[in-house]
Amino acid sequence: MKKSSGVALCWCLVVLLLVGLGQIQEAEAAGCNAQALSPCLPSIISGTPPSKECCTNAKEQEPCFCNFIKDPAYGKIIKNPNTKKTLEACGLKWPTCP
């Protein structure tokens, strides 16, 4: 009986790993790259108007914003109130994430 539960656990882990890899590949396929938003950091930190490069990169990364918000590595920066102001200055709306 222990052997069958161990096999079931292994299969569960394999499925979870494949689902996780699929999500990573989807993000990469969509071109999601939080580092591309680094030109926006001065605007996010200080509230100054965003640069043209910031706005260009933000528009390219717009489909990825919900992924960035949910990511613990970027969530706090993205949730900064100045981020919304930066996006609005670039002509973008704050995302509504599921």
Side-chain angles (χ1 to χ4, degrees):
M1 190 111 151
K2 285 188 176 192
K3 186 176 182 179
S4 64
S5 64
V7 170
L9 177 62
C10 285
W11 276 112
C12 287
L13 291 174
V14 167
V15 169
L16 289 173
L17 179 63
L18 290 175
V19 169
L21 287 175
Q23 290 174 344
I24 290 169
Q25 289 173 345
E26 284 177 22
E28 288 175 353
C32 295
N33 177 8
Q35 298 299 320
L37 298 175
S38 62
C40 299
L41 283 176
S43 180
I44 293 169
I45 292 169
S46 66
T48 58
S51 67
K52 184 177 178 180
E53 182 181 13
C54 166
C55 291
T56 299
N57 290 2
K59 288 174 184 174
E60 290 173 359
Q61 295 299 313
E62 185 178 16
C64 306
F65 286 165
C66 287
N67 291 339
F68 297 153
I69 290 169
K70 294 174 187 176
D71 188 326
Y74 306 114
K76 287 183 181 182
I77 296 169
I78 298 292
K79 292 176 187 175
N80 179 314
N82 286 334
T83 302
K84 184 175 181 179
K85 293 176 187 175
T86 300
L87 293 179
E88 288 172 352
C90 291
L92 300 171
K93 293 184 179 180
W94 184 255
T96 303
C97 302

Coordinates of all heavy atoms in Angstrom, one line a residue:
M1 N 0.8 -1.2 0.0 CA 0.0 0.0 0.0 C 0.9 1.3 0.0 O 0.6 2.2 -0.7 CB -0.9 0.0 1.2 CG -1.9 1.0 1.2 SD -3.5 0.3 1.0 CE -4.6 1.4 1.7
K2 N 2.0 1.2 0.7 CA 2.8 2.4 0.8 C 3.5 2.7 -0.6 O 3.7 3.8 -1.0 CB 3.9 2.2 1.8 CG 3.4 2.4 3.2 CD 4.6 2.4 4.2 CE 4.1 2.7 5.6 NZ 5.1 3.0 6.5
K3 N 3.7 1.6 -1.3 CA 4.3 1.7 -2.6 C 3.4 2.5 -3.6 O 3.8 3.4 -4.3 CB 4.7 0.4 -3.2 CG 5.5 0.5 -4.5 CD 5.9 -0.9 -5.0 CE 6.7 -0.7 -6.3 NZ 7.1 -2.0 -6.8
S4 N 2.1 2.1 -3.6 CA 1.1 2.8 -4.5 C 0.9 4.3 -4.1 O 0.8 5.1 -5.0 CB -0.2 2.0 -4.5 OG -0.8 2.1 -3.2
S5 N 1.0 4.6 -2.8 CA 0.8 6.0 -2.4 C 2.1 6.8 -2.8 O 2.0 7.9 -3.1 CB 0.5 6.1 -0.9 OG 1.6 5.6 -0.1
G6 N 3.2 6.1 -2.8 CA 4.5 6.8 -3.2 C 4.5 7.1 -4.7 O 4.9 8.1 -5.1
V7 N 4.0 6.1 -5.4 CA 3.8 6.3 -6.9 C 2.9 7.4 -7.2 O 3.1 8.3 -8.1 CB 3.4 5.0 -7.6 CG1 3.1 5.2 -9.0 CG2 4.5 3.9 -7.4
A8 N 1.7 7.4 -6.5 CA 0.7 8.5 -6.7 C 1.3 9.9 -6.4 O 1.1 10.8 -7.1 CB -0.5 8.2 -5.8
L9 N 2.1 9.9 -5.3 CA 2.8 11.2 -4.9 C 3.7 11.6 -6.0 O 3.8 12.8 -6.4 CB 3.5 11.0 -3.6 CG 4.2 12.3 -3.1 CD1 3.3 13.4 -2.9 CD2 5.0 11.9 -1.8
C10 N 4.5 10.7 -6.5 CA 5.5 11.0 -7.6 C 4.7 11.6 -8.8 O 5.2 12.6 -9.4 CB 6.3 9.8 -8.0 SG 7.6 9.4 -6.8
W11 N 3.6 11.0 -9.2 CA 2.8 11.4 -10.3 C 2.3 12.8 -10.1 O 2.3 13.7 -11.0 CB 1.7 10.5 -10.7 CG 2.2 9.3 -11.5 CD1 2.3 8.0 -11.2 CD2 2.7 9.4 -12.9 NE1 2.8 7.3 -12.2 CE2 3.1 8.2 -13.3 CE3 2.8 10.5 -13.8 CZ2 3.6 7.9 -14.6 CZ3 3.4 10.2 -15.0 CH2 3.7 8.9 -15.4
C12 N 1.8 13.1 -8.9 CA 1.3 14.4 -8.5 C 2.4 15.5 -8.7 O 2.2 16.5 -9.2 CB 0.8 14.4 -7.1 SG -0.8 13.6 -6.9
L13 N 3.6 15.1 -8.2 CA 4.7 16.0 -8.3 C 5.1 16.3 -9.8 O 5.4 17.4 -10.2 CB 5.9 15.5 -7.5 CG 5.8 15.5 -6.0 CD1 7.0 14.8 -5.4 CD2 5.6 16.9 -5.5
V14 N 5.1 15.3 -10.6 CA 5.4 15.4 -12.0 C 4.4 16.3 -12.7 O 4.7 17.2 -13.4 CB 5.4 14.0 -12.7 CG1 5.4 14.2 -14.2 CG2 6.6 13.2 -12.3
V15 N 3.1 16.1 -12.4 CA 2.0 17.0 -12.9 C 2.2 18.4 -12.5 O 2.1 19.3 -13.3 CB 0.6 16.4 -12.5 CG1 -0.5 17.4 -12.9 CG2 0.4 15.1 -13.2
L16 N 2.5 18.6 -11.2 CA 2.7 20.0 -10.7 C 3.9 20.7 -11.4 O 3.9 21.8 -11.8 CB 2.9 20.0 -9.2 CG 1.6 19.7 -8.4 CD1 2.0 19.6 -6.9 CD2 0.6 20.8 -8.6
L17 N 5.0 19.9 -11.6 CA 6.2 20.4 -12.3 C 5.9 20.8 -13.7 O 6.2 21.9 -14.2 CB 7.3 19.4 -12.2 CG 8.6 19.7 -12.9 CD1 9.2 21.0 -12.2 CD2 9.6 18.6 -12.9
L18 N 5.1 19.9 -14.4 CA 4.8 20.2 -15.8 C 3.9 21.4 -15.9 O 4.1 22.3 -16.8 CB 4.1 19.0 -16.5 CG 5.1 17.8 -16.7 CD1 4.3 16.6 -17.2 CD2 6.2 18.2 -17.6
V19 N 2.9 21.6 -15.0 CA 2.1 22.8 -15.0 C 2.9 24.0 -14.8 O 2.7 25.0 -15.5 CB 0.9 22.6 -14.0 CG1 0.2 23.9 -13.8 CG2 0.0 21.5 -14.4
G20 N 3.8 24.0 -13.8 CA 4.7 25.1 -13.5 C 5.5 25.5 -14.7 O 5.7 26.6 -15.1
L21 N 6.1 24.5 -15.3 CA 6.9 24.7 -16.5 C 6.1 25.3 -17.6 O 6.6 26.2 -18.4 CB 7.6 23.4 -17.0 CG 8.8 22.9 -16.1 CD1 9.3 21.6 -16.6 CD2 9.9 23.9 -16.1
G22 N 4.9 24.9 -17.8 CA 4.0 25.4 -18.8 C 3.7 26.9 -18.6 O 3.7 27.7 -19.5
Q23 N 3.5 27.3 -17.3 CA 3.3 28.7 -17.0 C 4.5 29.5 -17.3 O 4.4 30.6 -17.8 CB 2.9 28.8 -15.6 CG 1.5 28.3 -15.3 CD 1.1 28.3 -13.9 OE1 1.9 28.5 -13.0 NE2 -0.2 28.1 -13.6
I24 N 5.7 29.0 -17.0 CA 6.9 29.7 -17.2 C 7.1 29.9 -18.7 O 7.5 31.0 -19.2 CB 8.1 29.0 -16.6 CG1 8.1 29.1 -15.1 CG2 9.5 29.6 -17.1 CD1 9.1 28.2 -14.4
Q25 N 6.9 28.8 -19.5 CA 7.0 28.9 -20.9 C 6.0 29.9 -21.6 O 6.4 30.6 -22.5 CB 6.9 27.5 -21.6 CG 8.1 26.6 -21.3 CD 7.8 25.2 -21.7 OE1 6.7 24.8 -22.0 NE2 8.9 24.5 -21.8
E26 N 4.8 29.9 -21.0 CA 3.8 30.9 -21.5 C 4.3 32.3 -21.3 O 4.2 33.2 -22.1 CB 2.5 30.7 -20.8 CG 1.7 29.5 -21.3 CD 0.4 29.3 -20.5 OE1 -0.1 30.3 -19.9 OE2 -0.1 28.2 -20.5
A27 N 4.8 32.6 -20.1 CA 5.3 33.9 -19.8 C 6.5 34.3 -20.7 O 6.5 35.4 -21.2 CB 5.7 34.0 -18.3
E28 N 7.4 33.4 -20.9 CA 8.5 33.6 -21.8 C 8.0 33.8 -23.2 O 8.6 34.7 -23.9 CB 9.5 32.5 -21.7 CG 10.3 32.5 -20.4 CD 11.2 31.3 -20.3 OE1 11.2 30.4 -21.1 OE2 12.0 31.3 -19.3
A29 N 7.1 33.0 -23.6 CA 6.6 33.1 -25.0 C 5.9 34.5 -25.2 O 6.0 35.1 -26.3 CB 5.6 32.0 -25.3
A30 N 5.3 35.0 -24.2 CA 4.6 36.3 -24.3 C 5.6 37.4 -24.2 O 5.3 38.6 -24.4 CB 3.6 36.5 -23.2
G31 N 6.9 37.1 -23.9 CA 7.9 38.1 -23.9 C 8.0 38.9 -22.5 O 8.4 40.0 -22.5
C32 N 7.4 38.3 -21.5 CA 7.4 38.9 -20.2 C 8.8 39.0 -19.6 O 9.6 38.0 -19.6 CB 6.5 38.1 -19.2 SG 4.8 38.1 -19.7
N33 N 9.2 40.2 -19.3 CA 10.5 40.5 -18.7 C 10.5 41.7 -17.8 O 10.5 42.8 -18.3 CB 11.5 40.7 -19.9 CG 12.9 41.0 -19.4 OD1 13.2 40.9 -18.2 ND2 13.8 41.4 -20.3
A34 N 10.4 41.4 -16.5 CA 10.2 42.5 -15.6 C 11.4 43.5 -15.6 O 11.3 44.7 -15.4 CB 10.0 42.0 -14.2
Q35 N 12.6 42.9 -16.0 CA 13.8 43.8 -16.1 C 13.6 44.9 -17.2 O 14.3 45.9 -17.1 CB 15.0 42.9 -16.4 CG 15.3 41.9 -15.3 CD 15.6 42.5 -13.9 OE1 16.3 43.6 -13.9 NE2 15.1 42.0 -12.9
A36 N 12.8 44.6 -18.1 CA 12.6 45.6 -19.2 C 11.9 46.9 -18.6 O 12.0 48.0 -19.2 CB 11.7 45.1 -20.3
L37 N 11.4 46.8 -17.4 CA 10.7 48.0 -16.8 C 11.7 48.8 -15.9 O 11.3 49.8 -15.3 CB 9.5 47.5 -15.9 CG 8.4 46.8 -16.7 CD1 7.3 46.3 -15.7 CD2 7.8 47.8 -17.7
S38 N 13.0 48.4 -15.9 CA 14.0 49.1 -15.1 C 14.1 50.6 -15.5 O 14.3 51.4 -14.6 CB 15.3 48.4 -15.1 OG 15.8 48.4 -16.4
P39 N 13.9 51.0 -16.7 CA 13.9 52.4 -17.0 C 12.8 53.2 -16.3 O 12.8 54.4 -16.2 CB 13.7 52.5 -18.5 CG 14.2 51.2 -19.0 CD 13.8 50.2 -18.0
C40 N 11.8 52.5 -15.8 CA 10.7 53.1 -15.0 C 11.0 53.3 -13.6 O 10.2 54.0 -12.9 CB 9.4 52.3 -15.2 SG 8.9 52.1 -16.9
L41 N 12.0 52.7 -13.1 CA 12.3 52.8 -11.6 C 12.4 54.2 -11.1 O 11.9 54.5 -10.1 CB 13.5 51.9 -11.2 CG 13.2 50.4 -11.2 CD1 14.5 49.7 -10.9 CD2 12.2 50.1 -10.1
P42 N 13.2 55.1 -11.8 CA 13.3 56.5 -11.3 C 11.9 57.1 -11.1 O 11.6 57.8 -10.1 CB 14.1 57.2 -12.3 CG 14.9 56.1 -13.0 CD 14.0 54.9 -13.0
S43 N 11.0 56.9 -12.0 CA 9.7 57.4 -12.0 C 8.9 56.8 -10.8 O 8.1 57.5 -10.1 CB 9.0 57.2 -13.3 OG 7.7 57.7 -13.3
I44 N 9.0 55.5 -10.7 CA 8.3 54.8 -9.6 C 8.8 55.2 -8.3 O 8.0 55.4 -7.3 CB 8.4 53.2 -9.9 CG1 7.6 52.8 -11.1 CG2 7.8 52.5 -8.7 CD1 7.9 51.4 -11.6
I45 N 10.0 55.3 -8.1 CA 10.6 55.6 -6.8 C 10.4 57.1 -6.4 O 10.0 57.4 -5.3 CB 12.1 55.3 -6.8 CG1 12.3 53.8 -6.9 CG2 12.8 55.9 -5.6 CD1 13.8 53.4 -7.2
S46 N 10.6 58.0 -7.4 CA 10.5 59.4 -7.0 C 9.2 60.1 -7.5 O 9.0 61.2 -7.0 CB 11.7 60.2 -7.6 OG 11.6 60.2 -9.0
G47 N 8.5 59.5 -8.3 CA 7.2 60.1 -8.8 C 7.5 61.1 -9.9 O 6.6 61.8 -10.3
T48 N 8.7 61.1 -10.5 CA 9.0 62.0 -11.6 C 8.3 61.5 -12.9 O 8.0 60.3 -13.0 CB 10.5 62.2 -11.9 OG1 11.0 60.9 -12.1 CG2 11.2 62.8 -10.6
P49 N 8.1 62.3 -13.9 CA 7.5 61.8 -15.2 C 8.4 60.7 -15.8 O 9.6 60.8 -15.7 CB 7.5 63.0 -16.1 CG 7.5 64.2 -15.1 CD 8.3 63.8 -13.9
P50 N 7.8 59.7 -16.4 CA 8.5 58.6 -16.9 C 9.2 59.0 -18.2 O 8.8 59.9 -19.0 CB 7.5 57.5 -17.2 CG 6.2 58.3 -17.4 CD 6.3 59.5 -16.5
S51 N 10.3 58.3 -18.5 CA 11.0 58.5 -19.8 C 10.3 57.9 -20.9 O 9.4 57.0 -20.7 CB 12.4 58.0 -19.7 OG 12.4 56.5 -19.6
K52 N 10.7 58.2 -22.1 CA 10.1 57.6 -23.3 C 10.4 56.1 -23.3 O 9.6 55.3 -23.7 CB 10.7 58.3 -24.6 CG 10.1 57.8 -25.9 CD 10.6 58.5 -27.1 CE 10.1 58.0 -28.4 NZ 10.6 58.7 -29.5
E53 N 11.7 55.8 -22.9 CA 12.0 54.4 -22.9 C 11.2 53.6 -21.9 O 10.7 52.5 -22.2 CB 13.5 54.2 -22.5 CG 14.0 52.8 -22.5 CD 15.5 52.7 -22.1 OE1 16.1 53.6 -21.5 OE2 16.0 51.6 -22.2
C54 N 10.9 54.2 -20.8 CA 10.0 53.6 -19.8 C 8.7 53.3 -20.4 O 8.1 52.2 -20.3 CB 9.9 54.5 -18.5 SG 8.5 54.0 -17.4
C55 N 8.1 54.3 -21.0 CA 6.7 54.1 -21.6 C 6.7 53.1 -22.7 O 5.8 52.2 -22.8 CB 6.2 55.4 -22.1 SG 5.8 56.6 -20.8
T56 N 7.7 53.1 -23.6 CA 7.8 52.1 -24.6 C 7.9 50.7 -24.1 O 7.2 49.8 -24.5 CB 9.1 52.4 -25.5 OG1 8.9 53.7 -26.1 CG2 9.2 51.3 -26.6
N57 N 8.8 50.5 -23.1 CA 8.9 49.2 -22.5 C 7.6 48.8 -21.7 O 7.2 47.6 -21.7 CB 10.1 49.1 -21.5 CG 11.4 49.2 -22.3 OD1 11.4 49.3 -23.5 ND2 12.5 49.2 -21.6
A58 N 7.0 49.7 -21.0 CA 5.8 49.4 -20.3 C 4.7 49.0 -21.2 O 4.0 48.0 -20.9 CB 5.4 50.6 -19.5
K59 N 4.6 49.6 -22.4 CA 3.6 49.2 -23.3 C 3.8 47.8 -23.9 O 2.9 47.0 -24.1 CB 3.5 50.2 -24.5 CG 2.9 51.5 -24.0 CD 2.9 52.6 -25.1 CE 2.4 53.9 -24.5 NZ 2.5 55.0 -25.5
E60 N 5.1 47.5 -24.0 CA 5.5 46.1 -24.5 C 5.2 45.1 -23.4 O 4.8 43.9 -23.8 CB 6.9 46.1 -24.9 CG 7.3 46.8 -26.1 CD 8.8 46.9 -26.4 OE1 9.6 46.4 -25.6 OE2 9.2 47.5 -27.4
Q61 N 5.3 45.4 -22.2 CA 5.1 44.5 -21.1 C 3.7 44.5 -20.5 O 3.4 43.7 -19.6 CB 6.2 44.8 -20.0 CG 7.6 44.6 -20.4 CD 7.9 43.2 -20.8 OE1 7.5 42.2 -20.1 NE2 8.6 43.0 -21.9
E62 N 2.9 45.4 -21.0 CA 1.5 45.5 -20.5 C 0.8 44.2 -20.3 O 0.1 43.9 -19.3 CB 0.7 46.5 -21.3 CG -0.7 46.7 -20.7 CD -1.5 47.8 -21.6 OE1 -1.1 48.0 -22.7 OE2 -2.4 48.3 -21.0
P63 N 0.8 43.2 -21.3 CA 0.1 41.9 -21.1 C 0.7 41.1 -19.9 O 0.0 40.2 -19.4 CB 0.4 41.2 -22.4 CG 0.8 42.2 -23.4 CD 1.5 43.3 -22.6
C64 N 1.8 41.5 -19.4 CA 2.5 40.7 -18.3 C 2.2 41.3 -16.9 O 2.7 40.8 -15.9 CB 4.0 40.6 -18.6 SG 4.4 40.0 -20.2
F65 N 1.6 42.5 -16.8 CA 1.5 43.2 -15.5 C 0.9 42.3 -14.4 O 1.4 42.4 -13.3 CB 0.7 44.5 -15.7 CG 1.5 45.6 -16.4 CD1 0.8 46.7 -16.9 CD2 2.8 45.6 -16.6 CE1 1.4 47.7 -17.5 CE2 3.5 46.6 -17.2 CZ 2.8 47.7 -17.7
C66 N -0.1 41.6 -14.7 CA -0.7 40.8 -13.7 C 0.2 39.7 -13.2 O 0.3 39.4 -12.0 CB -2.0 40.1 -14.2 SG -3.4 41.3 -14.3
N67 N 1.0 39.1 -14.1 CA 2.1 38.2 -13.7 C 3.1 38.9 -12.7 O 3.5 38.3 -11.7 CB 2.8 37.6 -14.9 CG 1.9 36.7 -15.7 OD1 0.9 36.2 -15.2 ND2 2.3 36.5 -16.9
F68 N 3.5 40.1 -13.1 CA 4.4 40.8 -12.3 C 3.8 41.1 -10.9 O 4.5 41.0 -9.9 CB 4.9 42.1 -12.9 CG 5.6 41.9 -14.2 CD1 5.6 42.9 -15.2 CD2 6.3 40.7 -14.5 CE1 6.2 42.8 -16.4 CE2 6.9 40.6 -15.8 CZ 6.9 41.6 -16.7
I69 N 2.6 41.5 -10.9 CA 1.9 41.9 -9.6 C 1.9 40.7 -8.7 O 2.1 40.8 -7.5 CB 0.5 42.5 -9.9 CG1 0.6 43.8 -10.5 CG2 -0.3 42.5 -8.6 CD1 -0.7 44.4 -11.1
K70 N 1.6 39.5 -9.2 CA 1.5 38.3 -8.4 C 2.8 37.7 -8.0 O 2.9 36.9 -7.1 CB 0.7 37.2 -9.2 CG -0.7 37.6 -9.4 CD -1.4 36.6 -10.3 CE -2.8 37.1 -10.7 NZ -3.5 36.2 -11.6
D71 N 3.9 38.1 -8.7 CA 5.2 37.6 -8.4 C 5.8 38.3 -7.1 O 6.0 39.5 -7.1 CB 6.2 37.8 -9.6 CG 7.5 37.2 -9.4 OD1 8.0 37.1 -8.3 OD2 8.0 36.8 -10.5
P72 N 6.1 37.5 -6.1 CA 6.6 38.1 -4.9 C 7.9 39.0 -5.1 O 8.2 39.9 -4.3 CB 6.9 36.9 -3.9 CG 6.2 35.8 -4.5 CD 6.0 36.1 -6.0
A73 N 8.7 38.6 -6.1 CA 9.9 39.3 -6.4 C 9.6 40.8 -6.9 O 10.5 41.7 -6.7 CB 10.8 38.6 -7.4
Y74 N 8.5 41.0 -7.5 CA 8.2 42.3 -8.1 C 7.0 42.9 -7.6 O 6.7 44.1 -7.8 CB 8.1 42.1 -9.7 CG 9.2 41.5 -10.3 CD1 9.1 40.2 -10.9 CD2 10.5 42.1 -10.3 CE1 10.2 39.6 -11.5 CE2 11.5 41.4 -10.9 CZ 11.4 40.2 -11.5 OH 12.4 39.6 -12.1
G75 N 6.1 42.2 -6.9 CA 4.8 42.7 -6.5 C 4.9 44.0 -5.7 O 4.1 44.9 -5.9
K76 N 5.8 44.1 -4.7 CA 5.9 45.3 -3.9 C 6.2 46.5 -4.7 O 5.7 47.6 -4.5 CB 6.9 45.1 -2.8 CG 6.4 44.2 -1.7 CD 7.4 44.1 -0.6 CE 6.9 43.1 0.5 NZ 7.8 43.0 1.6
I77 N 7.1 46.4 -5.7 CA 7.5 47.5 -6.5 C 6.4 47.9 -7.4 O 6.0 49.0 -7.6 CB 8.8 47.2 -7.4 CG1 10.0 46.9 -6.4 CG2 9.1 48.2 -8.4 CD1 11.2 46.3 -7.1
I78 N 5.7 46.9 -8.0 CA 4.6 47.1 -9.0 C 3.4 47.7 -8.2 O 2.7 48.6 -8.8 CB 4.2 45.8 -9.7 CG1 5.4 45.2 -10.5 CG2 3.0 46.0 -10.5 CD1 5.8 46.1 -11.7
K79 N 3.2 47.4 -7.0 CA 2.1 47.9 -6.2 C 2.3 49.3 -5.6 O 1.4 49.8 -5.0 CB 1.7 46.9 -5.1 CG 1.1 45.6 -5.7 CD 0.8 44.6 -4.6 CE 0.4 43.3 -5.1 NZ 0.3 42.2 -4.1
N80 N 3.5 49.8 -5.8 CA 3.8 51.2 -5.3 C 2.8 52.1 -6.0 O 2.6 52.1 -7.2 CB 5.3 51.5 -5.7 CG 5.7 52.9 -5.3 OD1 5.0 53.9 -5.5 ND2 6.9 52.9 -4.8
P81 N 2.3 53.1 -5.2 CA 1.3 54.0 -5.8 C 1.9 54.8 -7.0 O 1.1 55.2 -7.9 CB 1.0 55.0 -4.6 CG 1.4 54.3 -3.4 CD 2.5 53.3 -3.8
N82 N 3.2 55.1 -7.0 CA 3.7 55.8 -8.2 C 3.7 55.0 -9.4 O 3.8 55.5 -10.5 CB 5.2 56.3 -7.8 CG 5.2 57.4 -6.9 OD1 4.2 58.2 -6.8 ND2 6.3 57.6 -6.2
T83 N 3.6 53.6 -9.3 CA 3.6 52.8 -10.5 C 2.3 53.1 -11.3 O 2.4 53.2 -12.5 CB 3.7 51.3 -10.1 OG1 4.8 51.1 -9.4 CG2 3.7 50.4 -11.3
K84 N 1.2 53.3 -10.6 CA 0.0 53.6 -11.3 C 0.1 54.9 -12.0 O -0.3 55.1 -13.1 CB -1.2 53.6 -10.3 CG -2.5 53.8 -10.9 CD -3.7 53.7 -9.9 CE -5.0 53.9 -10.6 NZ -6.1 53.8 -9.7
K85 N 0.7 55.9 -11.3 CA 0.9 57.2 -11.9 C 1.8 57.1 -13.1 O 1.5 57.8 -14.1 CB 1.5 58.2 -10.9 CG 0.6 58.5 -9.7 CD 1.3 59.4 -8.7 CE 0.4 59.6 -7.5 NZ 1.1 60.3 -6.4
T86 N 2.8 56.3 -13.0 CA 3.7 56.1 -14.2 C 3.0 55.5 -15.3 O 3.1 56.0 -16.5 CB 4.9 55.2 -13.8 OG1 5.6 55.9 -12.7 CG2 5.9 55.0 -14.9
L87 N 2.2 54.5 -15.1 CA 1.4 53.9 -16.2 C 0.5 54.9 -16.8 O 0.4 54.9 -18.0 CB 0.7 52.7 -15.7 CG 1.5 51.5 -15.2 CD1 0.6 50.3 -14.7 CD2 2.4 50.9 -16.3
E88 N -0.2 55.6 -16.0 CA -1.2 56.6 -16.5 C -0.4 57.7 -17.3 O -0.9 58.1 -18.4 CB -1.9 57.2 -15.4 CG -2.9 56.3 -14.7 CD -3.6 56.8 -13.5 OE1 -3.2 57.9 -13.0 OE2 -4.5 56.2 -13.0
A89 N 0.7 58.1 -16.9 CA 1.5 59.1 -17.7 C 2.0 58.5 -19.0 O 2.2 59.2 -20.0 CB 2.7 59.5 -16.9
C90 N 2.1 57.2 -19.1 CA 2.4 56.5 -20.3 C 1.2 56.2 -21.2 O 1.3 55.5 -22.2 CB 3.2 55.2 -20.0 SG 4.8 55.5 -19.3
G91 N 0.0 56.5 -20.7 CA -1.2 56.3 -21.4 C -1.7 54.9 -21.2 O -2.5 54.4 -22.0
L92 N -1.3 54.2 -20.2 CA -1.7 52.8 -19.9 C -2.7 52.8 -18.6 O -2.6 53.7 -17.8 CB -0.5 51.9 -19.6 CG 0.5 51.8 -20.7 CD1 1.7 51.1 -20.2 CD2 -0.2 51.1 -21.9
K93 N -3.5 51.9 -18.6 CA -4.4 51.7 -17.4 C -3.9 50.7 -16.5 O -3.2 49.7 -16.9 CB -5.8 51.3 -17.9 CG -6.5 52.3 -18.7 CD -7.9 51.9 -19.0 CE -8.6 53.0 -19.8 NZ -10.0 52.6 -20.1
W94 N -4.2 50.9 -15.2 CA -3.8 49.9 -14.2 C -4.6 48.6 -14.5 O -5.8 48.6 -14.7 CB -4.1 50.4 -12.8 CG -3.7 49.5 -11.7 CD1 -4.5 48.6 -10.9 CD2 -2.3 49.2 -11.2 NE1 -3.7 47.9 -10.1 CE2 -2.4 48.3 -10.2 CE3 -1.1 49.8 -11.6 CZ2 -1.3 47.8 -9.6 CZ3 0.0 49.3 -11.0 CH2 -0.1 48.4 -9.9
P95 N -3.9 47.4 -14.5 CA -4.6 46.2 -14.8 C -5.6 45.7 -13.8 O -5.4 46.0 -12.6 CB -3.4 45.2 -14.9 CG -2.4 45.7 -14.0 CD -2.5 47.2 -14.1
T96 N -6.6 45.1 -14.3 CA -7.6 44.4 -13.4 C -7.2 42.9 -13.6 O -7.4 42.3 -14.6 CB -9.0 44.6 -13.9 OG1 -9.2 46.0 -13.9 CG2 -10.0 43.9 -13.0
C97 N -6.7 42.3 -12.5 CA -6.1 41.0 -12.5 C -7.2 40.0 -12.0 O -7.8 40.3 -11.0 CB -4.8 40.9 -11.7 SG -3.6 42.0 -12.3
P98 N -7.3 38.8 -12.6 CA -8.2 37.8 -12.0 C -7.7 37.3 -10.7 O -6.6 37.3 -10.3 CB -8.2 36.7 -13.1 CG -7.0 36.9 -14.0 CD -6.6 38.4 -13.7

